[in-house]
């Protein structure tokens, strides 16, 4: 029952997200708006509803399976994008290389050091 | 016989069963291969599904229509991502300064680099839209794609490749730049490589894993709020 109750909460927040997006014509998806609304609600309440936690623990591991049917489509659009694959692969490889490099450099520049030391100390104790 | 074939292809039950079987098979094979980070379980499962569709002479469009009964769950599962994010709030509050300095820029560049390169190489707008959310976790990226317009399958393919490349580049660059701070490595894995990066981060330890989840969630939210807006303004 906890699972069902939590699932109903998630559906309610998705519907709330749906209504918000349509009423304000926001450029985000309904589920994304639901995520943000649920997060805001949790932050305001400062307490995690047990049934919501149960439902999310049940659903999140299924995400990989749920996107799989979309991934299958890749094998059917190979012809559709013929002639663009070199550009696509170059964009993915070079783009990802550059963005990983940038993130690492940025984080190294801005991440405070002390916390690392505490962590290492804790590990040694 | 052909009537039975047609009626089976028409029921959502077969599409759902096929998907579950292929996914479980994919996970099983993935474990057998020793969990290779270059070949995620979803990809194996997708290959198995594609092979089954081909054997059954099942049109992808029909499969997609029938399996929608299952993929409907993507919505509430995406909403559910608010829970782990809420549970990580203390990391966000403790490190809001470095996060504020790095995340928007890192997430924006993750999209910009690839789009810019593809644009310079003269690819059409559909392809650009499909590449833009490449570093965002799949459920959120699918929501973004709805706004941009683009090919769902191409986007998901790009997403998988990006995830795998991220794990490779992070290990490589960490050695070059001599970075061994688990928080930084985890964050870079999550921001650029979404769920696949997180899997790799947890291999580095729980701290890296927590920061990867944080990086992934924040990148997803940031990109989902900004990218469609930017796209609309650019009038692509």
């Amino acid at each position: 029952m906890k699972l069902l109750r939590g699932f109903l909460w998630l559906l309610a927040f998705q519907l709330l997200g749906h209504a918000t997006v349509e009423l304000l014509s926001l450029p985000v998806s309904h589920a994304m708006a639901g995520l943000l609304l649920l997060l805001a609600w949790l932050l305001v309440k400062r307490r995690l509803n047990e049934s919501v936690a149960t439902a999310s623990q049940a659903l999140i591991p299924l995400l990989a399976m749920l996107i799989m049917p979309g991934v299958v489509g890749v094998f059917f659009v190979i012809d559709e994008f013929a002639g663009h694959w070199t550009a696509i692969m170059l964009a993915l490889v070079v783009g990802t290389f550059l963005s990983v490099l940038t993130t690492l450099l940025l984080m190294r520049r801005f991440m405070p050091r002390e916390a690392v030391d505490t962590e290492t100390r804790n590990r040694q104790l | 016989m052909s009537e039975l074939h047609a009626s089976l292809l028409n029921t959502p039950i077969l599409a759902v069963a096929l998907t579950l079987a292929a996914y479980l098979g994919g996970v099983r094979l993935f474990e057998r291969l020793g969990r290779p980070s270059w070949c995620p379980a979803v990809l194996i499962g997708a290959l198995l599904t594609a092979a089954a569709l081909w054997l059954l002479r099942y049109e992808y469009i029909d499969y997609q229509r029938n399996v929608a009964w299952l993929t409907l769950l993507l919505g509430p599962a995406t909403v559910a991502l608010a829970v782990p994010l809420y549970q990580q709030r203390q990391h966000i509050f403790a490190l809001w300064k470095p996060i504020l300095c790095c995340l928007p820029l890192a997430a924006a560049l993750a999209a910009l680099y690839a789009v810019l390169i593809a644009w310079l190489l003269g690819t059409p707008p559909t392809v650009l839209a499909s590449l833009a959310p490449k570093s965002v976790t799949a459920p959120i990226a699918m929501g973004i794609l709805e706004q941009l317009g683009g090919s769902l399958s191409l986007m998901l393919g790009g997403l998988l490749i990006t995830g795998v490349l991220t794990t490779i580049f992070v290990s490589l660059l960490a050695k070059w730049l001599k970075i061994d701070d688990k928080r930084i490595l985890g964050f870079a894995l999550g921001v650029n490589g979404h769920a696949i990066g997180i899997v790799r981060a947890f291999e580095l330890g729980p701290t890296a894993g927590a920061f990867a989840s944080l990086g992934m969630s924040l990148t997803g939210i940031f990109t989902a709020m900004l990218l469609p807006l930017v796209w609309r303004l650019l009038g692509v």
Side-chain angles (χ1 to χ4, degrees):
Chain A
M1 281 309 130
K2 224 179 260 168
L3 178 66
L4 274 189
R5 209 174 301 136
F7 189 60
L8 185 57
W9 273 110
L10 295 177
L11 291 182
F13 270 98
Q14 195 184 345
L15 289 172
L16 202 63
H18 187 136
T20 316
V21 164
E22 293 303 321
L23 284 176
L24 306 175
S25 54
L26 299 172
V28 294
S29 76
H30 299 157
M32 187 64 210
L35 186 166
L36 292 174
L37 289 168
L38 176 57
L39 182 64
W41 185 69
L42 289 172
L43 286 173
V44 169
K45 272 195 53 173
R46 292 167 167 275
R47 198 179 61 84
L48 182 57
N49 182 324
E50 208 182 323
S51 43
V52 172
T54 311
S56 85
Q57 271 164 19
L59 277 175
I60 291 174
L62 298 183
L63 277 169
M65 188 265 289
L66 294 174
I67 64 156
M68 202 187 71
V71 178
V72 175
V74 178
F75 306 114
F76 298 88
V77 295
I78 290 177
D79 292 337
E80 192 184 324
F81 295 104
H84 296 301
W85 287 107
T86 324
I88 292 171
M89 286 314 290
L90 262 175
L92 288 174
V93 175
V94 181
T96 306
F97 180 82
L98 290 175
S99 76
V100 168
L101 181 67
T102 319
T103 315
L104 287 174
L105 291 176
L106 274 174
M107 286 303 279
R108 186 168 68 173
R109 167 78 184 72
F110 288 107
M111 194 63 127
R113 285 232 173 263
E114 316 85 77
V116 186
D117 296 338
T118 0
E119 198 195 326
T120 336
R121 241 188 340 259
N122 288 343
R123 219 182 295 143
Q124 284 163 349
L125 287 173
Chain B
M1 229 7 225
S2 68
E3 262 172 49
L4 176 64
H5 180 246
S7 80
L8 275 176
L9 292 196
N10 230 337
T11 164
I13 301 291
L14 180 74
V16 172
L18 198 76
T19 309
L20 294 184
Y23 182 68
L24 292 174
V27 171
R28 172 70 77 75
L29 260 172
F30 177 70
E31 308 264 336
R32 273 283 174 78
L33 294 171
R35 316 180 135 267
S37 56
W38 51 269
C39 186
V42 196
L43 188 58
I44 307 178
L47 271 167
L48 292 176
T49 314
L53 294 184
W54 180 74
L55 282 173
L56 292 170
R57 284 173 286 129
Y58 204 156
E59 286 294 326
Y60 179 65
I61 294 185
D62 296 329
Y63 165 73
Q64 212 178 15
R65 176 170 44 85
N66 282 321
V67 85
W69 288 88
L70 182 68
T71 47
L72 195 65
L73 283 175
L74 256 176
T78 307
V79 178
L81 289 173
V83 173
L85 193 57
Y86 170 74
Q87 287 164 333
Q88 286 158 18
R89 67 197 179 283
Q90 67 278 23
H91 280 310
I92 306 179
F93 294 149
L95 291 167
W96 65 271
K97 235 187 211 160
I99 289 175
L100 198 69
C101 294
C102 302
L103 188 104
L105 199 57
L109 287 174
L112 186 72
Y113 283 138
V115 172
L116 202 65
I117 293 169
W119 181 71
L120 288 173
L121 293 172
T123 54
T126 338
V127 175
L128 293 182
S130 315
L131 288 177
K134 79 182 191 33
S135 284
V136 177
T137 182
I140 297 180
M142 290 165 87
I144 297 176
L145 197 78
E146 270 173 37
Q147 306 293 325
L148 307 188
S151 158
L152 175 69
S153 298
L154 179 59
M155 185 274 280
L156 287 173
L159 219 70
L160 281 184
I161 296 174
T162 303
V164 172
L165 287 173
T166 300
T167 61
I168 298 171
F169 290 149
V170 167
S171 331
L172 210 77
L173 288 169
K175 227 174 279 165
W176 270 10
L177 301 169
K178 296 192 177 58
I179 297 176
D180 55 2
D181 187 335
K182 294 281 182 285
R183 299 172 306 168
I184 297 182
L185 297 180
F187 202 73
L189 282 166
V191 167
N192 296 290
H194 52 93
I196 299 176
I198 293 187
V199 174
R200 172 77 190 113
F202 272 106
E203 288 171 10
L204 298 175
T207 314
F211 274 85
S213 323
L214 181 69
M216 180 188 88
S217 319
L218 293 177
T219 302
I221 291 178
F222 177 80
T223 314
M225 297 207 290
L226 230 68
L227 192 55
L229 205 67
V230 171
W231 216 256
R232 206 188 263 182
L233 290 176
L234 289 175
V236 187

